[in-house]
Amino acid sequence: MSLHPPLHRRALAGTAATALAVALVAGGALGASAAPDGSGRSTLRALAQSAAGLKIGTAINTDQLGSNTRYDQIAGSQFSTVTPENVMKWDAIEPKRGQFDYTAADELVRFARQHHQLVRGHTLVWYNQLPQWLVDLGPFLTSKQTAAILKQHITEEMTHFKGKIWQWDVVNEAFNEDGTLRDNLWLEKIGPSYIEKAFRWAHEADPKALLFYNDYNIEYAGPKQDGAYALVRGLVRKGVPIDGVGFQTHLDTQYGIPDLETSMQRFANLGLRTAETEVDVRTTLPVTATEQSAQNAGYSESLQACLLVRACISYTVWGFGDAYSWIPGVFAGEGSADLYDANLVAKPQYFALQSVLRTAKGVPHRS
Ligand code: XIL
């Protein structure tokens, strides 16, 4: 899999932190509800809600759900939204053509309802994690057939979950690093209009869901962000039903912290919502004291940026326990990217987020 190749880029200064220091009022106790872990600490979820009306989420590994008590307890108490890490992707939902399997995804939606959580749907149109039947069929499809298959997929899946999904990542990772559209089945067969079509079909299927374009490395100023911006601005001008832009925010201590406040505000100025959708901060192992503090800063500053941009409606981490993180499997020698260690004990990153939220009283409240 060629996900997220490590790229060299300019390290950017963390302007969000400086700005936030001005905007924040150092807070005392917020009266938020305590975590059911005996620690007496407020949960991230309660702090985020009372500080700024911000939703704080996590990706969920459904293999753990229901079989790992501590995992369930953290997932259910610390977060106010959940994203399926894999089980709403096309290969999971339609492993054989015309045979749909919603078992795991439905279980997640049930868990969310039980815990009064919102769901981010992830993801409908992507080049990756497609079922094998579609990969095999792809080269033989005409443009019309490809569009019909894509429309059917979006319609079928969104109809299944209609009314249960808060935000949908309709199109995921459509851009190359140089700002051109990624070469994939959809672009090859349908052309660049596949993106616009996907949003229109999605809106027809579930008019109340918030529809997002989602990508990585658009957190940084540069050609990829510019490409996504030009696309999204074009969609807005044409009246295509897009509601927001998701900044995945898979950070790595060796590349520095992006100025997410400026980046998200740029898109927010188009009248769109923004979200940080897949935050994790990886580092080369083993973690030294310097790297630990860089990781704390990555989490703190990315959360501060979301607090500072009123249009930023949710901050979602891509899993919370190092034992279940996707990072070691994809980035050799890297890891420790999550808020909790391999035994689900909270790490300094977790306390860094706590302290940002505790001092965030007074930032603009969402809705
Ligand atoms: C990753 C999952 O975390 C892994 O379990 C899976 O093997 C591959 O996909 N960007 C995305 C996510 O939009 O869907 C990816 O999730 C991580 C990168």
Side-chain angles (χ1 to χ4, degrees):
M1 211 183 301
S2 65
L3 278 170
H4 302 225
L7 296 161
H8 280 287
R9 62 168 78 84
R10 212 156 34 98
L12 296 171
T15 55
T18 327
L20 195 70
V22 180
L24 300 187
V25 179
L30 292 167
S33 60
D37 61 2
S39 66
R41 278 193 310 269
S42 298
T43 60
L44 295 175
R45 165 186 189 158
L47 290 168
Q49 182 57 39
S50 60
L54 178 69
K55 298 292 178 202
I56 186 145
T58 182
I60 294 286
N61 177 329
T62 49
D63 293 341
Q64 298 306 314
L65 214 60
S67 60
N68 179 337
T69 312
R70 178 135 175 87
Y71 185 93
D72 285 3
Q73 188 200 38
I74 295 171
S77 63
Q78 295 287 341
F79 302 98
S80 46
T81 84
V82 287
T83 308
E85 185 171 354
N86 286 302
V87 296
M88 285 189 193
K89 292 171 181 173
W90 200 330
D91 61 350
I93 291 294
E94 195 183 5
K96 298 222 168 80
R97 192 167 189 188
Q99 285 182 25
F100 299 91
D101 183 358
Y102 291 108
T103 322
D106 285 345
E107 204 178 295
L108 177 60
V109 171
R110 243 192 328 272
F111 180 89
R113 184 178 299 172
Q114 254 171 27
H115 295 89
H116 310 287
Q117 294 167 318
L118 298 175
V119 181
R120 291 199 85 259
H122 177 82
T123 180
L124 295 163
V125 187
W126 196 20
Y127 71 92
N128 211 348
Q129 289 180 275
L130 296 171
Q132 196 55 45
W133 64 262
L134 181 54
V135 174
D136 294 342
L137 194 61
F140 305 101
L141 293 171
T142 64
S143 163
K144 243 179 138 176
Q145 288 168 332
T146 312
I149 285 178
L150 188 59
K151 179 177 183 185
Q152 198 190 2
H153 167 66
I154 292 172
T155 308
E156 154 67 39
E157 182 164 352
M158 286 187 75
T159 303
H160 178 86
F161 294 113
K162 191 170 179 177
K164 296 176 178 165
I165 306 290
W166 180 39
Q167 306 173 23
W168 262 114
D169 287 332
V170 177
V171 178
N172 197 36
E173 303 183 347
F175 281 92
N176 294 312
E177 295 304 313
D178 68 1
T180 58
L181 282 177
R182 188 192 288 273
D183 187 15
N184 61 26
L185 176 66
W186 318 117
L187 184 69
E188 271 175 31
K189 299 286 174 164
I190 306 173
S193 71
Y194 84 85
I195 296 175
E196 163 180 348
K197 290 189 166 82
F199 279 96
R200 292 193 195 279
W201 294 327
H203 184 65
E204 272 172 37
D206 187 353
K208 290 197 181 138
L210 294 176
L211 306 183
F212 272 67
Y213 175 73
N214 191 52
D215 213 333
Y216 63 93
N217 282 349
I218 58 170
E219 300 85 11
Y220 296 85
K224 185 168 188 177
Q225 185 189 96
D226 292 345
Y229 181 80
L231 166 87
V232 161
R233 188 184 49 193
L235 296 179
V236 170
R237 287 190 178 160
K238 277 172 99 171
V240 176
I242 178 172
D243 299 294
V245 175
F247 295 72
Q248 291 186 6
T249 318
H250 291 292
L251 304 183
D252 183 327
T253 55
Q254 65 184 309
Y255 303 128
I257 301 169
D259 181 358
L260 267 155
E261 183 195 355
T262 303
S263 297
M264 288 197 289
Q265 192 58 53
R266 184 181 187 202
F267 287 79
N269 290 345
L270 295 171
L272 295 170
R273 294 168 174 91
T274 70
E276 289 177 56
T277 55
E278 305 184 14
V279 182
D280 52 21
V281 187
R282 63 186 184 269
T283 194
T284 305
L285 299 174
V287 182
T288 63
T290 311
E291 280 153 350
Q292 180 63 62
S293 77
Q295 288 184 297
N296 298 349
Y299 272 102
S300 301
E301 291 192 27
S302 57
L303 177 58
Q304 285 168 341
C306 187
L307 289 166
L308 286 165
V309 175
R310 196 194 275 264
C312 183
I313 57 173
S314 61
Y315 179 89
T316 298
V317 295
W318 202 242
F320 53 84
D322 284 338
Y324 321 109
S325 168
W326 71 301
I327 294 295
V330 176
F331 301 93
E334 296 191 70
S336 193
D338 290 355
L339 298 175
Y340 292 78
D341 72 11
N343 298 313
L344 292 179
V345 174
K347 298 196 299 182
Q349 291 85 321
Y350 170 85
F351 297 102
L353 291 190
Q354 280 256 336
S355 100
V356 168
L357 293 170
R358 280 177 190 285
T359 54
K361 220 175 175 183
V363 302
H365 223 267
R366 281 127 194 97
S367 69

